[in-house]
Amino acid sequence: MSLLSKIINFIKLQEKEVHLSEIYEKFEEIKKTTIRGRINEAVGTKLLRVGKGKYLLISDDVQAIVEQMDSRFAIPNILSSLLYYDMIFLDIPYFAKGQKGGNRNLSTYDLIMPEEFEKMTLELQKMLRTEDSQLYFMIAGGKSSKKDALNYLSAFAPTNLKVAAKGSYTKLTSKGTVCNMGKYLMPPEEIYVYSHSGKLLKPDETILDFELQRPPLPKQGGYPTQKPFKLLEQIIKQSTNVGDFVLDLFGGSGVTLDAALSLKRKCHIFDIANEAINRMKNILKTHETLICSSLPVNNSYSSYKQLQLFS
């Protein structure tokens, strides 16, 4: 048995995050540099680096990774784990005029400012698997928030990403009319599609403009920033293939998770709120391909437990 296989088996038996020091102790007769070399070979395929010197086992049949944490702090771990995604969906808690009330009330959120978002985009571009892998970014499209929205769009300028397409999402009432804000019609949200090549993966199948019924408001049991299932379903379908991996750093309602699993894509999703994680637990229970009967009842579970449950 190879050294890497022995290390993998050791980590598997621990059933927890394993620190590098524990591996050194187990294989004390092997040079530390050799051990690190074998581990680095497996990071991103068989091992997930979840912190400095900390590793988890990841199987080939893992379908979802759900993590409760501030995703901004997870980005360095994702990069060091050499995880790559076929599509990244970004619907961030941004600052813009007109966003503090109504359906998208961000007053209680820890908002991401443009300067911080620019740092994020510089890292996120490294996570796209291919030149044609796409990043979808949604931002307010109203006149009052235009200036603020442009500040976030400018965050992509220092990257190597190019705009492959631009679309919109118009919110409709249950009667099929455009939602309003008092006497004014609600402006469509803008959808920007980025890739390194500046091209779409499936141009003939791509839909960019959506007119869909707005999901329920929070007072009706909905989630403040929720997007329609059909919107995420179409975005994922046109930007990925079966078995591809989708990343949503601000998962909120869990719609991305639901749509990805329904389309037989894998999903890595984050959110910091207990409510969001509980919604995702309920979504996981609806997918028979996942082992969800032993989901923990508390909200402080680790990504390792998720990997165990989904593999």
Side-chain angles (χ1 to χ4, degrees), residues 213-274:
Q213 183 176 337
R214 180 176 65 181
L217 299 173
K219 61 184 179 181
Q220 300 165 334
Y223 198 83
T225 59
Q226 187 169 337
K227 298 295 182 286
F229 178 86
K230 288 185 177 179
L231 186 149
L232 268 301
E233 181 184 47
Q234 179 59 36
I235 285 176
I236 293 171
K237 187 185 299 182
Q238 68 195 23
S239 61
T240 61
N241 295 303
V242 171
D244 282 352
F245 220 107
V246 175
L247 171 67
D248 188 342
L249 290 168
F250 303 90
S253 65
V255 174
T256 302
L257 176 67
D258 194 10
L261 294 177
S262 297
L263 292 168
K264 300 189 184 304
R265 273 66 164 175
K266 300 180 180 182
C267 185
H268 193 177
I269 191 165
F270 292 82
D271 206 276
I272 198 170
N274 289 344

Side-chain angles (χ1 to χ4, degrees), residues 52-70:
K52 189 174 181 180
K54 294 181 180 180
Y55 299 90
L56 293 175
L57 186 65
I58 181 168
S59 339
D60 292 336
D61 57 352
V62 166
Q63 297 173 69
I65 304 173
V66 179
E67 298 196 60
Q68 183 176 16
M69 67 178 299
D70 189 327

Side-chain angles (χ1 to χ4, degrees), residues 36-62:
R36 289 199 301 271
R38 299 295 80 77
I39 290 175
N40 288 335
E41 290 175 6
V43 169
T45 54
K46 297 181 179 180
L47 295 177
L48 178 67
R49 184 182 285 119
V50 294
K52 189 174 181 180
K54 294 181 180 180
Y55 299 90
L56 293 175
L57 186 65
I58 181 168
S59 339
D60 292 336
D61 57 352
V62 166

Side-chain angles (χ1 to χ4, degrees), residues 90 117-118 121 135 137 152-161 194:
L90 282 183
F117 186 55
E118 181 176 309
T121 59
L135 183 153
F137 175 59
Y152 287 92
L153 292 170
S154 297
F156 289 94
T159 72
N160 293 320
L161 296 171
Y194 294 89

Side-chain angles (χ1 to χ4, degrees), residues 137-156:
F137 175 59
M138 297 190 68
I139 191 79
K143 291 182 179 179
S144 62
S145 56
K146 191 66 177 178
K147 183 178 178 180
D148 294 319
L150 287 174
N151 289 333
Y152 287 92
L153 292 170
S154 297
F156 289 94

